[in-house]
Amino acid sequence: MHTVVERELELKLILSPKRGIPVPARLAYRTDDPYAVHICFHINSEHPVSWTFARDLLVEGVFRPCGHGDVRVWPAKSGGRVAVVMALSSPDGDALLEAPAAQVSAWLERTLRLVPPGCEVEQLGIDDGLDRLLAQ
């Protein structure tokens, strides 16, 4: 049986240094995909936009800048609040998003209690699969 840890929150899509718009989003972590976090953005379209990237990247990005290429994450202060900033880049465009650090950290803590760092491989059932394959 697999477990899902979800969190609805409102991110801010940064349009300029002084302008941003709210974007409802859902963070999801699944024990059947233990290395990844999933973020689904509910924009004004029939199909939400989803991103998947390493949980470790988000964990580290709460404390210090990390990542390169398509996903970069870093902590920041915005209007007196602590935030986690995510820069996402794809062939379809780029987005700079700001999330409340306390909400992201609390959600990450739940995922880390469920599957501690270094224990992800146990969730994949690789040993069980190999045992079944070799038993044939």
Side-chain angles (χ1 to χ4, degrees):
M1 184 168 113
H2 298 289
T3 304
V4 177
V5 178
E6 292 184 322
R7 171 77 194 231
E8 298 281 340
L9 71 158
E10 187 171 275
L11 304 181
K12 182 165 65 169
L13 176 63
I14 307 298
L15 302 174
S16 73
K18 296 190 185 253
R19 187 163 171 243
I21 58 173
V23 176
R26 177 185 301 120
L27 294 171
Y29 177 79
R30 302 188 318 249
T31 57
D32 65 336
D33 191 5
Y35 290 102
V37 293
H38 307 271
I39 303 178
C40 184
F41 304 102
H42 307 288
I43 57 175
N44 293 328
S45 71
E46 287 184 31
H47 305 286
V49 175
S50 297
W51 276 79
T52 301
F53 55 90
R55 177 176 70 163
D56 289 347
L57 183 64
L58 190 55
V59 169
E60 185 176 344
V62 168
F63 300 103
R64 65 187 142 273
C66 64
H68 52 82
D70 295 346
V71 179
R72 293 177 292 123
V73 184
W74 64 90
K77 288 200 177 192
S78 174
R81 300 178 336 159
V82 180
V84 177
V85 179
M86 294 173 276
L88 308 176
S89 180
S90 80
D92 295 326
D94 300 324
L96 187 62
L97 297 144
E98 190 177 277
Q103 292 178 18
V104 172
S105 295
W107 175 80
L108 278 171
E109 182 60 36
R110 289 176 53 208
T111 75
L112 294 168
R113 280 195 308 269
L114 185 62
V115 180
C119 297
E120 294 91 350
V121 73
E122 297 166 16
Q123 298 296 315
L124 298 175
I126 292 172
D127 289 338
D128 294 337
L130 282 174
D131 289 345
R132 284 192 303 274
L133 182 64
L134 295 174
Q136 294 177 359

